[in-house]
Amino acid sequence: MERGDSPDTNDMDAQRLIPAPDEAAPFAAVAPATPTVTLFVCTTCRAADVPPADAAESLTPDGIALLDAVRALALPETVAATGVRCLGNCKRSLSAALVRRDGWTYVFGGLSAAGAADIVEGARLLAESTDGLMPWRGRPEILKRGMVARIPPLSLPEDIR
């Protein structure tokens, strides 16, 4: 195509690269949903109730056990889980943070690998919320009593400041 021969915007529909839903091939692959919430688990955390001598003997930090427990669950497509070195919440370990791309961020402490399903449920609630806040109703108990901080999004609307 030579300069000046570009298609006008009315011809763009004819040149679509992605077919409309009714034109899609019967076995077309569907792209997975982009995660809305990222669950960060502190991988350097040690359980607060473990004496330092016992913690030193353990080769695997308790935070890694929590991350492994989370990853063993079926995560919703809207939730991604990853480890991070030190969330700086050592006095209330084990720690995790739920970060919503267009919403609030939550930091939790006092967690355990046994509560992995509750943490994933909280991530799901946050991902599905319409206002970017994790609803109180339906939130697992460990996420009610273990909340350390709630951080507003960078795009916080003027009317709620």
Side-chain angles (χ1 to χ4, degrees):
M1 194 179 292
E2 291 188 21
R3 190 175 198 171
D5 287 345
S6 64
D8 69 13
T9 54
N10 292 333
D11 293 336
M12 293 305 270
D13 286 346
Q15 298 179 4
R16 285 186 307 209
L17 297 177
I18 301 172
D22 59 334
E23 300 170 7
F27 300 105
V30 176
T34 302
T36 304
V37 171
T38 301
L39 165 58
F40 291 101
V41 176
C42 178
T43 58
T44 56
C45 271
R46 300 268 183 204
D49 59 350
V50 176
D54 292 341
E57 292 174 14
S58 172
L59 299 176
T60 305
D62 299 307
I64 291 176
L66 174 56
L67 180 60
D68 289 345
V70 164
R71 287 181 172 164
L73 300 170
L75 295 175
E77 287 185 341
T78 54
V79 175
T82 190
V84 64
R85 292 184 56 82
C86 197
L87 286 171
N89 189 34
C90 303
K91 290 193 186 259
R92 294 200 50 199
S93 64
L94 305 172
S95 298
L98 295 174
V99 179
R100 181 168 162 161
R101 183 178 47 234
D102 60 347
W104 290 71
T105 293
Y106 293 81
V107 180
F108 298 98
L111 304 173
S112 70
D118 288 340
I119 298 164
V120 171
E121 174 62 11
R124 185 194 64 77
L125 288 170
L126 181 59
E128 292 178 359
S129 83
T130 57
D131 60 1
L133 290 162
M134 184 188 304
W136 187 259
R137 186 171 304 183
R139 185 184 300 185
E141 191 61 36
I142 65 167
L143 301 183
K144 287 181 178 179
R145 70 176 188 275
M147 189 166 73
V148 173
R150 184 178 82 165
I151 303 162
L154 293 174
S155 60
L156 186 66
E158 284 289 326
D159 61 339
I160 61 171
R161 287 185 186 178

